[in-house]
Amino acid sequence: MNIGIATVFNSMNDGSFWQSMMLKRELEKRGHSVVFFRVPDNPERPILTKTIIGRIIKYLIRDGILGCYKYILSIKEFAEDQKQFNEIKVEDAGKLDLVILGSDMIWCREGKPYFDKYHDFFWGEVFHDVPIVTYAGSCGSMHDYADKEWIKKTVGRWNKISVRDNNTYRIIKENTENDVSIVCDPTMLVTADEYKPLMKGYINGERYILLYMFSNLTAEQGKQIIGFAKEKNLKIISLIRRQRNMPRNSTYVAVNSPYRLIEYYAKAEYVITDTFHGSIFAILFNKNFVTINHEKTQVNEVVTSLGYADRIVDKTDLFLSKLVESVDFSNNQNKLDSLRLKSIEYLEKCLE
């Protein structure tokens, strides 16, 4: 079967890359050919967009030549890794046997200008004369849609429907009589053992605490982590950003790209995160971790649903005692295994 996927696959975001890659791999395992749709009016995504150029200048001012160099290297590695995704134009969708919408927050039109601008693409309105199914789509934190007739008509075209969270389930289910399944994010379709062979040997022999955060730790949290790292002879490695409230020389800001990310997770001693996929990878790789609560519904939901609600800490808490507390992953493994099995069964029904 020739399958096209409509999702975000070519941004500088590790989660977007890996959710795309793991859905692609699961389909290819079953003998299918997979391509990804270009957003209609942006057929050739340039490496150096205005946003990227602005960030390069920011890194140069904030982190100097070395920080700027690391960011440019990240851009280069992302671009190289994304070459694994074969692309297709929307107007060629008729050549395919199936279109999959998802995963990610592709249906969130509130506070997400990109998804709102291209809503006809991410909701599948641009695809004609080809069956449409969804996999792990999400409306993010949206409460509802004002245009009920539009959403009912759009969802009515979908042959099979799955979502990745309870809020999206509620919104979609209110607008269709068809079955709606809750499935896992594609990054959870495989075990850590299937990620490990993909590692490229970027890291050798280091012991470290991994920070994978969009936000900043408080000064008090940073001080506590620095003290613990010195006591245990651990390095502090930060992906995504330099921590504003920690001394510059206390943290090593690493080059961030998809394959580096999974290796940094696999070899970390401890993980501190506040992101959706950051929490998922900590659980997949069985790491002592905390997820800092910034009231992101989807982040808290995925951590809680897998049995790790006690690892969520308040954004102002001094959480060191929780971070070093051992996690009994075996006690909750059945929850992940059950969700993974249910998700694979749904995916296979879509392919019948």
Side-chain angles (χ1 to χ4, degrees), residues 107 109 119-120 123 125 145 147-156:
W107 303 328
R109 296 184 61 183
H119 68 271
D120 57 341
W123 286 80
E125 292 181 281
Y145 288 87
D147 192 343
K148 296 290 186 183
E149 290 305 312
W150 172 80
I151 191 171
K152 286 179 180 178
K153 179 182 176 182
T154 303
V155 172

Side-chain angles (χ1 to χ4, degrees), residues 15-62:
S16 294
F17 177 91
W18 283 114
Q19 61 89 8
S20 301
M21 177 59 72
M22 287 317 185
L23 182 54
K24 172 181 179 287
R25 286 170 66 91
E26 285 302 298
L27 295 170
E28 289 176 340
K29 280 182 191 177
R30 291 159 176 80
H32 303 288
S33 177
V34 180
V35 292
F36 289 80
F37 290 105
R38 301 171 188 163
V39 173
D41 66 351
N42 186 21
E44 298 294 338
R45 184 182 177 89
I47 293 176
L48 292 177
T49 62
K50 288 182 180 179
T51 301
I52 295 297
I53 292 172
R55 287 176 182 170
I56 289 173
I57 295 170
K58 183 178 76 172
Y59 272 87
L60 183 61
I61 295 171
R62 189 186 68 188

Side-chain angles (χ1 to χ4, degrees), residues 296-308:
K296 296 177 182 177
T297 304
Q298 292 197 50
V299 178
N300 293 344
E301 182 180 319
V302 72
V303 175
T304 300
S305 67
L306 295 175
Y308 302 99

Side-chain angles (χ1 to χ4, degrees), residues 317-336:
D317 284 352
L318 294 177
F319 51 76
L320 180 60
S321 60
K322 177 60 66 176
L323 180 66
V324 300
E325 183 182 292
S326 295
V327 185
D328 184 2
F329 288 98
S330 61
N331 194 43
N332 293 313
Q333 187 62 41
N334 65 312
K335 294 179 181 178
L336 176 54

Side-chain angles (χ1 to χ4, degrees), residues 5-18:
I5 298 176
T7 188
V8 179
F9 67 95
N10 57 357
S11 69
M12 277 194 65
N13 181 288
D14 299 297
S16 294
F17 177 91
W18 283 114

Side-chain angles (χ1 to χ4, degrees), residues 205-218:
E206 292 181 302
R207 297 178 63 245
Y208 55 89
I209 302 168
L210 179 66
L211 306 183
Y212 188 69
M213 303 177 62
F214 288 129
S215 63
N216 289 291
L217 295 172
T218 67

